[in-house]
Amino acid sequence: MAVKKKKELSLTSKIFIGLISGVILGIILHYLVPDGNIKNKYLVDGLFQVVGQGFIRGMQMLVVPLVFASLVTGSMSMGDSKKLGKVGVRAIIFYIFTTSLAIASALFIGNLINPGKGMNMSISEIGDTTAKAMEAPNFTETLLDIIPTNPINGLAEGNMLQLIFFALIVGVLLAKLGQRVEGIANLFSELNELMMEMTMLVMKVAPIGVFCLVARTFSDIGFEALAELLKYTLGVISSLAVQCLIIYMLLLKIFTGVNPFKFLKKFFPVMGFAFSTASSNATVPLSINTLEEMGVSKKVSAFTIPLGATINMDGTAIMQGVAVVFVSQAFNIDLTMSDYMTVIAAATLASIGTAGIPSVGLITLSMVFNSVGLPVEGIAMIMGIDRILDMTRTAINVTGDAVCTTIAAHQNDMLDREQMNS
Ligand code: ASP
């Protein structure tokens, strides 16, 4: 046990070192090394791209089989559909609650910072109008789409909600049928073991993968766009910080009694991973494994983490809230209190509809803008800076999933608090 712990800790620090040195190298490459074949073709778009994307693909490769196997075995060992329902309902309530809090605080902070005041923009001034309006999804269709007409197809497409739905039914029925289906039950348990081992294997290259991903991103982007949109960037980052360091920590303390700092410290590698990949989906396997080491039962996390990666995006909602304030001020459009209420509802829905992959938050932002009549062309103004904010908000998205999961686990006696606080 002691040996294992030591090993894990070293991987954590290695990821951290990979992250920081990737950022530093990326900035050096951007500002100090002149463009040329060696830098651009062989290093940034060659080596960094291949190793970084190869690593992300490796993690993505794990998502469907790992989630499916661990959900089936998790719900099977819980065996009680009522208990499962309770966990699910609690997690969903917390997901919606934290998202509305996130967006409300983003609107508040946005109005304190006033990122767009005095810009006096008009639509004709925006050259790039590639941003297109997105229709709000149809509620009944979204709901019906959770039931797969063909589960194999759902799995093949990596449709997370269909996958969860089908796996839960399989697990509960396997528990009910007991000995009659022992073979299949064992098969899933063994598949679960196999996928855990595979996760460890892929995670071995995490420090290098993370290094290449961030080095590539930072060598591509300079900080010019950041300086231009400094107030907007500040608004998003400070709202994200409030969500992570105040709201989540308070919720953790109040609802579970765990030490919030211990939680953050142990969960940090997952945040670093989410930051470098900008994908909640790709972070699912690492998140489940890390939470298990922290004392959260996989019976809960295997269910609520993929669910959260699909429907809970607090960081994304925060970006959308600040963007609403920014664009409304830049275009001199006054928003009323009831407009703000509409934004809270629309951004919460958009967060449910945002897939856990890079940049989607920018696409669903058009839905939020539409809800209060802001020009979708305004999205073009923040595109240049979105990459780095996407990385940052993804780190918060996955932290939100983990906090709600920890609370749901605690409320169902499936959290080892001593392990978490150790
Ligand atoms: N990249 C985000 C995620 O995967 C989604 C977004 O805001 O674009 O969580």
Side-chain angles (χ1 to χ4, degrees):
M1 190 68 193
V3 176
K4 204 178 157 215
K5 268 235 162 86
K6 208 168 159 203
K7 222 168 137 195
E8 279 151 14
L9 228 162
S10 77
L11 180 66
T12 306
S13 356
K14 276 191 212 155
I15 292 182
F16 185 67
I17 295 169
L19 192 72
I20 301 295
S21 42
V23 173
I24 296 173
L25 179 68
I27 294 175
I28 293 177
L29 282 176
H30 183 83
Y31 286 105
L32 301 180
V33 181
D35 284 345
N37 261 352
I38 296 194
K39 172 182 144 184
N40 301 80
K41 202 167 156 197
Y42 300 122
L43 201 60
V44 175
D45 291 331
L47 187 70
F48 290 170
Q49 164 79 347
V50 171
V51 177
Q53 285 304 319
F55 172 57
I56 296 195
R57 292 180 71 109
M59 282 310 267
Q60 285 170 332
M61 165 179 89
L62 305 170
V63 175
V64 170
L66 177 99
V67 169
F68 194 65
S70 53
L71 248 180
V72 170
T73 40
S75 55
M76 186 168 71
S77 60
M78 223 183 299
D80 177 352
S81 51
K82 265 199 202 130
K83 202 164 182 186
L84 262 173
K86 256 194 201 161
V87 172
V89 169
R90 288 218 170 113
I92 290 173
I93 290 176
F94 269 100
Y95 283 156
I96 294 177
F97 175 61
T98 49
T99 307
S100 341
L101 268 185
I103 163 109
S105 89
L107 289 173
F108 180 74
I109 293 174
N111 273 298
L112 278 185
I113 294 185
N114 291 323
K117 267 231 163 101
M119 288 179 93
N120 295 321
M121 295 290 289
S122 64
I123 292 176
S124 56
E125 277 173 68
I126 298 179
D128 181 0
T129 50
T130 42
K132 288 212 176 61
M134 185 192 167
E135 289 288 316
N138 180 313
F139 183 68
T140 37
E141 260 171 41
T142 313
L143 209 60
L144 273 177
D145 196 48
I146 298 174
I147 307 170
T149 49
N150 177 349
I152 305 294
N153 197 28
L155 285 180
E157 285 175 353
N159 184 322
M160 214 62 103
L161 295 182
Q162 295 191 351
L163 194 164
I164 292 172
F165 184 82
F166 190 66
L168 286 180
I169 298 180
V170 172
V172 170
L173 291 183
L174 282 178
K176 189 175 165 206
L177 293 173
Q179 294 222 315
R180 282 160 61 197
V181 287
E182 216 173 11
I184 303 188
N186 285 339
L187 183 83
F188 279 117
S189 301
E190 285 165 22
L191 180 63
N192 192 23
E193 293 291 325
L194 176 69
M195 292 317 299
M196 293 264 289
E197 199 57 35
M198 211 183 281
T199 310
M200 305 292 195
L201 193 73
V202 179
M203 279 313 289
K204 286 217 167 94
V205 286
I208 300 182
V210 164
F211 170 79
C212 289
L213 284 170
V214 269
R216 180 162 192 269
T217 307
F218 279 83
S219 66
D220 268 359
I221 50 169
F223 293 101
E224 293 81 10
L226 199 148
E228 256 171 50
L229 293 173
L230 194 63
K231 275 188 161 180
Y232 166 73
T233 311
L234 258 176
V236 176
I237 305 254
S238 50
S239 306
L240 290 174
V242 166
Q243 182 76 7
C244 181
L245 300 176
I246 301 180
I247 298 182
Y248 289 156
M249 298 303 104
L250 277 177
L251 288 176
L252 267 182
K253 189 81 207 155
I254 295 170
F255 284 98
T256 66
V258 302
N259 181 336
F261 299 105
K262 290 252 163 74
F263 178 93
L264 262 193
K265 192 173 162 220
K266 291 182 178 178
F267 194 70
F268 183 78
V270 185
M271 296 172 79
F273 179 85
F275 177 81
S276 39
T277 58
S279 168
S280 301
N281 276 7
T283 314
V284 166
L286 180 62
S287 198
I288 294 177
N289 275 12
T290 309
L291 283 172
E292 191 180 30
E293 283 159 16
M294 290 163 69
V296 178
S297 166
K298 250 179 104 176
K299 289 178 198 165
V300 177
S301 63
F303 175 18
T304 56
I305 290 293
L307 183 68
T310 317
I311 68 165
N312 184 46
M313 308 267 169
D314 300 346
T316 304
I318 284 173
M319 174 278 282
Q320 296 183 337
V322 180
V324 162
V325 178
F326 174 60
V327 169
S328 68
Q329 290 180 342
F331 285 87
N332 293 318
I333 300 171
D334 281 333
L335 295 182
T336 61
M337 203 58 205
S338 89
D339 285 334
Y340 282 133
M341 291 298 165
T342 311
V343 169
I344 294 182
T348 307
L349 282 181
S351 143
I352 296 176
T354 304
I357 50 177
S359 297
V360 188
L362 212 53
I363 300 170
T364 50
L365 178 60
S366 62
M367 216 175 92
V368 181
F369 277 15
N370 264 343
S371 71
V372 285
L374 289 178
V376 283
E377 287 81 0
I379 296 176
M381 291 167 65
I382 52 173
M383 270 181 183
I385 186 69
D386 196 63
R387 194 127 133 234
I388 192 141
L389 292 182
D390 189 11
M391 296 161 85
T392 321
R393 68 178 178 256
T394 307
I396 303 305
N397 285 345
V398 302
T399 311
D401 301 340
V403 167
C404 295
T405 293
T406 306
I407 296 175
H410 175 70
Q411 293 185 333
N412 290 281
D413 292 326
M414 277 182 274
L415 168 72
D416 184 340
R417 239 185 8 195
E418 269 170 34
Q419 196 171 333
M420 177 78 79
N421 284 334
S422 67

